[in-house]
Amino acid sequence: MNAETSRPADRPQSAYARAGVDIEAGDRAVALMKDSVARSSRPEVMGGIGGFAGLFDASALARYRHPVLATSTDGVGTKVAIAQAMDRHDTIGFDLVGMLVDDLVVCGAEPLFVTDYIACGRVVPKRIAAIVDGIARACRATGAALLGGETAEHPGLLGPDEYDIAGATTGVVEADALLGPDRVRAGDVVVAMASSGLHSNGYSLVRQVLLTEAAWALDREVAELGRDLGSELLEPTRLYALDALALIDAVEVHAMSHITGGGFANNLARVLPDGLAATIERGSWQPAPIFGLVQQVGGVSQADLEATLNMGVGMAVVVAPEAADEAVRFLMSRDVPAWVCGEVRDAAQGSPRAELVGVH
């Protein structure tokens, strides 16, 4: 029976199906996603899809002198509403994996595996398979295995075409290679890595401004964007993991900050020690048009915009001053747009831990 074949006419519908949960549809979804999950595997993965738990051979950690496990969990927020409205579900997995794996990388950890959770109002096998395929492709792009997951049908709680996704990831790093505030020194330089757009944060604001207040349709062609609005809003999150890990091996990196909810300054401040502050020059880059569009159409203040959106920077790297130019060259050679955007200094009394100055 293929994935789109319904149950035989002579088979009575189960009580659970009458309540809105279709176990057979769930089984068809699993069958459709098997190949995608298999392609995201690593040598340490044991067993296959369908078990109660994902298995990962921990003897792989024996190559570490003092392995430290890192873990992260997250979702993609209301960006799923855009995917649902456009009926396009194969990219939202990149947003999920980006939110998970790139949080690990900032401490220097290598991502090992990811698990996902999909809650939906109704299991549509092809839709679930498309979501998982995106997650699996993103896992391959970050070096992590998609080790397991769960799809739950919640009729009555979610509409038939509604879903939400979340996940968790685990990685490993040498104890003496942990990146963080204790390594940062006055005089260090901040290198920015460009975002691909909004990534997966601030969509409640963006949707309120553009879709609700301005009443723009997702298929509206927007000259400033060079494409329709929906395609811009659904642009997948740039994945930094492999480039960030390669950079750590190439130059002296002291800290990294994944620029997600809360904006550039707030996230950079999290990796700075007491007594030091960072100044970021807005004039060092020009944010993509979508950011200015949200500000202009919604009358959003600069402060609100920068406290909500990434403003064109998805990852910030704090490096030794002598390593800054090499870091930029290295990232550019890997097709990651990068530039020097600021520096770390001794903090003045009462000054913010990180601040953006100047104009774009």
Side-chain angles (χ1 to χ4, degrees):
M1 186 167 65
N2 66 40
E4 292 306 304
T5 302
S6 60
R7 62 184 175 83
D10 58 350
R11 184 189 303 173
Q13 188 180 42
S14 72
Y16 209 9
R18 291 196 300 274
V21 178
D22 189 342
I23 294 176
E24 291 181 356
D27 291 341
R28 293 195 296 274
V30 170
L32 287 174
M33 70 179 71
K34 276 187 174 181
D35 288 345
S36 296
V37 174
R39 285 193 295 270
S40 74
S41 189
R42 288 174 50 126
E44 302 92 341
V45 173
M46 302 172 63
I49 191 170
F52 285 96
L55 303 175
F56 191 90
D57 186 355
S59 67
L61 304 184
R63 71 178 186 270
Y64 290 83
R65 301 183 309 278
H66 183 170
V68 174
L69 294 179
T71 187
S72 174
T73 186
D74 210 340
V76 299
T78 60
K79 190 171 183 175
V80 294
I82 306 298
Q84 291 161 23
M86 296 183 68
D87 195 24
R88 182 179 174 186
H89 314 283
D90 61 338
T91 64
I92 201 74
F94 280 76
D95 302 294
L96 178 63
V97 173
M99 295 303 103
L100 295 172
V101 169
D102 289 329
D103 273 359
L104 284 187
V105 168
V106 300
C107 71
E110 173 196 359
L112 298 175
F113 54 81
V114 167
T115 56
D116 66 76
Y117 178 82
I118 304 170
C120 59
R122 173 174 60 104
V123 169
V124 179
K126 281 190 174 180
R127 182 163 62 209
I128 298 300
I131 296 169
V132 174
D133 179 67
I135 296 171
R137 286 186 290 116
C139 283
R140 293 199 304 275
T142 58
L146 181 54
L147 192 60
E150 173 74 9
T151 300
E153 203 167 21
H154 293 165
L157 183 62
L158 294 170
D161 294 319
E162 292 180 339
Y163 64 83
D164 196 10
I165 63 174
T169 185
T170 297
V172 62
V173 59
E174 289 282 11
D176 59 7
L178 275 168
L179 302 181
D182 60 303
R183 291 176 177 252
V184 178
R185 301 289 182 265
D188 281 353
V189 172
V190 182
V191 172
M193 300 165 68
S195 69
S196 58
L198 295 167
H199 282 187
S200 188
N201 301 104
Y203 273 76
S204 293
L205 172 64
V206 173
R207 289 168 56 244
Q208 175 69 23
V209 167
L210 299 181
L211 304 184
T212 302
E213 295 176 0
W216 286 10
L218 289 172
D219 61 359
R220 177 187 178 123
E221 293 292 332
V222 182
E224 295 92 330
L225 303 176
R227 56 178 168 175
D228 65 87
L229 178 63
S231 295
E232 178 71 28
L233 298 188
L234 207 57
E235 179 68 31
T237 297
R238 185 188 294 273
L239 304 176
Y240 300 98
L242 295 184
D243 300 305
L245 290 172
L247 181 67
I248 292 168
D249 288 338
V251 304
E252 185 180 343
V253 175
H254 292 165
M256 289 187 177
S257 177
H258 190 198
I259 312 304
T260 56
F264 195 165
N266 288 336
N267 281 286
L268 182 58
R270 297 166 64 181
V271 298
L272 300 177
D274 292 339
L276 295 182
T279 300
I280 304 301
E281 295 286 347
R282 293 188 183 97
S284 65
W285 82 99
Q286 182 63 47
I290 184 61
F291 300 101
L293 198 66
V294 173
Q295 183 175 28
Q296 179 184 356
V297 173
V300 181
S301 70
Q302 185 80 11
D304 279 343
L305 203 69
E306 292 178 341
T308 308
L309 306 179
N310 67 56
M311 298 305 294
V313 178
M315 186 79 79
V317 188
V318 182
V319 301
E322 63 273 14
D325 290 342
E326 177 58 27
V328 171
R329 284 193 296 268
F330 182 84
L331 291 167
M332 295 289 284
S333 74
R334 295 176 65 93
D335 296 324
V336 180
W339 63 94
V340 170
C341 67
E343 65 177 355
V344 177
R345 51 177 170 74
D346 291 320
Q349 185 69 28
S351 66
R353 185 70 63 85
E355 63 176 339
L356 279 67
V357 300
V359 295
H360 291 297

